[in-house]
Amino acid sequence: MKSFHEPPSSEITDEKVYLQRRRYLRWGAAGALGLAVGGVATLGLRQGDEAPQASEAHPADPPPKRWQDLPHSRFSTDEALTDWESVTGYNNFYELGAGKEAPARNAHRLETDPWSVTVDGEAERPGKLHLEDLLQSMPLEERIYRLRCVEAWSMVIPWVGFPLAALLKRFRPTSRAKYVAFETLYDPSRLPAQNRPILDWPYREGLRMDEAMHPLTLLAVGLYGRPLPGQNGAPLRLVVPWKYGFKSIKSIVRIRFTETQPPATWNQLQPEEYGFYANVNPAVEHPRWSQKRERRIGEVFKRDTLPFNGYAEQVADLYKDMDLAKQF
Ligand SMILES: Nc1nc2c(c(=O)[nH]1)N[C@H]1C(S)=C(S)[C@@H](COP(=O)(O)O)O[C@H]1N2
Ligand SMILES: [Mo]
């Protein structure tokens, strides 16, 4: 078994290249940086990319009875689903280790019972919600969405969840609430890679209020009709299908209404590469790899990337007053 602390170079992901580069810079070995970045860029399909491994994580809990006949959302795509093994075996969840297979391997560490979410900030009725109450009271449905990672791969995932708006309304955001901030659990005993300064923990993300209230914005509690596996962000994660995957923050414990734009982890680390908005956009080049095309996991040939990941008709209006090449 590979040591979780030292992923082999074949598992080094594109997002991770940046982190490595930072480490090199900190050590003053700027020369190695060119090698690391250039090396990966020329490899094309890398080993860790090619054949997602079957998930070694504990099988997800059986679905609760009342999940058996969930309504199917009209917002679903009818594209072919990415298989369960890839959806649960090829992940980005740095708190459970870098490398696509590490999260599944380490997911058993992420104990999620009990779990609660604190909702506060600019709201008339701030409060704390226990996961069980949330699952009982929210209108669960199945929704099939495309997920597009900034690393230029994509999947089609059948989520179980409910619109974020349905939850947010319960807390009565005030007129000062212009943004919504999200935080992942901080607990190195359950998310062991938080013992290392890979990112500025806890992972944070944010949306503008209108984005958060948009009917496409989902809080997912399951996939493939089962509770979310740890590696996919159990027990509760955001899904914003028209944005790059890093906006879809996992294992949420806190939601906060704010007046100003909240800090977001990748955006703070490297704003030229990871915008706050991060709308999928084939016309905005990422400094390290093109966003024009993508590889759908399980397919051989690349496909064209669509503006807003194919959800332009529903969301383009949200940005009509913005220059998306500048405010990316
Ligand atoms: N807390 C947290 N959330 C996260 C990440 C992470 O490392 N930590 N990775 C993001 C990235 S880069 C992507 S592409 C998606 C991947 O979701 P999936 O593994 O369920 O496909 O989760 C996002 N949410
Ligand atoms: Mo990603």
Side-chain angles (χ1 to χ4, degrees), residues 5-313:
H5 293 282
E6 288 164 312
S9 55
S10 66
E11 284 191 2
I12 291 174
T13 69
D14 286 331
E15 275 163 333
K16 191 160 169 254
V17 170
Y18 173 71
L19 299 170
Q20 276 194 322
R21 186 180 68 182
R22 271 177 50 102
R23 239 163 271 141
Y24 283 128
L25 289 173
R26 223 177 287 142
W27 298 338
L33 141 73
L35 267 179
V37 176
V40 169
T42 53
L43 281 177
L45 269 191
R46 284 156 297 113
Q47 199 188 321
D49 259 339
E50 254 166 85
Q53 304 284 302
S55 165
E56 289 170 45
H58 296 193
D61 298 333
K65 272 244 160 49
R66 60 198 174 73
W67 284 32
Q68 259 143 39
D69 283 304
L70 292 177
H72 186 74
S73 170
R74 66 192 171 92
F75 294 122
S76 289
T77 170
D78 55 11
E79 288 165 271
L81 301 182
T82 302
D83 59 279
W84 162 269
E85 280 71 27
S86 303
V87 171
T88 63
Y90 186 89
N91 301 98
N92 276 333
F93 195 172
Y94 280 81
E95 292 90 326
L96 288 175
K100 294 292 184 275
E101 286 133 50
R105 205 160 58 231
N106 296 310
H108 63 278
R109 299 282 299 269
L110 177 54
E111 178 64 55
T112 59
D113 185 20
W115 192 277
S116 58
V117 182
T118 299
V119 185
D120 59 5
E122 293 294 343
E124 281 168 30
R125 296 185 182 167
K128 193 170 174 169
L129 270 175
H130 295 283
L131 186 71
E132 254 327 294
D133 303 337
L134 201 131
L135 290 174
Q136 297 293 339
S137 60
M138 285 293 138
L140 295 185
E141 57 182 273
E142 180 180 69
R143 263 202 215 192
I144 305 171
Y145 275 159
R146 294 175 288 276
L147 175 86
R148 170 59 156 81
C149 175
V150 72
E151 293 165 340
W153 52 263
S154 62
M155 298 193 189
V156 177
I157 304 179
W159 301 107
V160 174
F162 53 86
L164 174 65
L167 178 71
L168 295 186
K169 281 179 197 150
R170 285 169 45 167
F171 297 88
R172 302 260 180 96
T174 71
S175 58
R176 279 188 302 273
K178 299 286 190 301
Y179 294 87
V180 186
F182 304 86
E183 263 180 46
T184 294
L185 171 73
Y186 179 73
D187 180 356
S189 73
R190 289 187 279 168
L191 293 173
Q194 287 177 334
N195 279 314
R196 295 183 292 154
I198 304 172
L199 292 173
D200 180 17
W201 313 118
Y203 196 102
R204 294 181 184 86
E205 260 308 333
L207 295 173
R208 213 168 57 191
M209 197 66 185
D210 57 347
E211 298 177 317
M213 299 304 261
H214 192 279
L216 286 184
T217 304
L218 198 72
L219 273 182
V221 294
L223 56 83
Y224 269 107
R226 304 187 154 250
L228 276 183
Q231 61 269 35
N232 294 96
L236 181 78
R237 59 91 55 89
L238 187 66
V239 181
V240 194
W242 71 93
K243 293 178 180 284
Y244 292 117
F246 65 85
K247 295 296 290 183
S248 292
I249 181 173
K250 296 178 170 181
S251 304
I252 295 166
V253 293
R254 188 170 186 198
I255 299 176
R256 199 172 156 78
F257 297 101
T258 64
E259 204 170 352
T260 54
Q261 184 179 301
T265 298
W266 284 99
N267 176 241
Q268 278 200 309
L269 193 63
Q270 184 58 305
E272 307 84 55
E273 299 199 5
Y274 306 101
F276 175 81
Y277 285 94
N279 294 314
V280 173
N281 191 344
V284 171
E285 290 296 299
H286 186 282
R288 285 184 292 119
W289 60 97
S290 169
Q291 297 298 356
K292 286 197 179 70
R293 291 159 72 67
E294 67 196 60
R295 197 169 58 85
R296 179 68 51 86
I297 299 293
E299 291 182 355
V300 174
F301 299 106
K302 290 198 168 178
R303 5 169 117 222
D304 288 343
T305 286
L306 301 174
F308 299 104
N309 199 22
Y311 298 96
E313 204 182 307

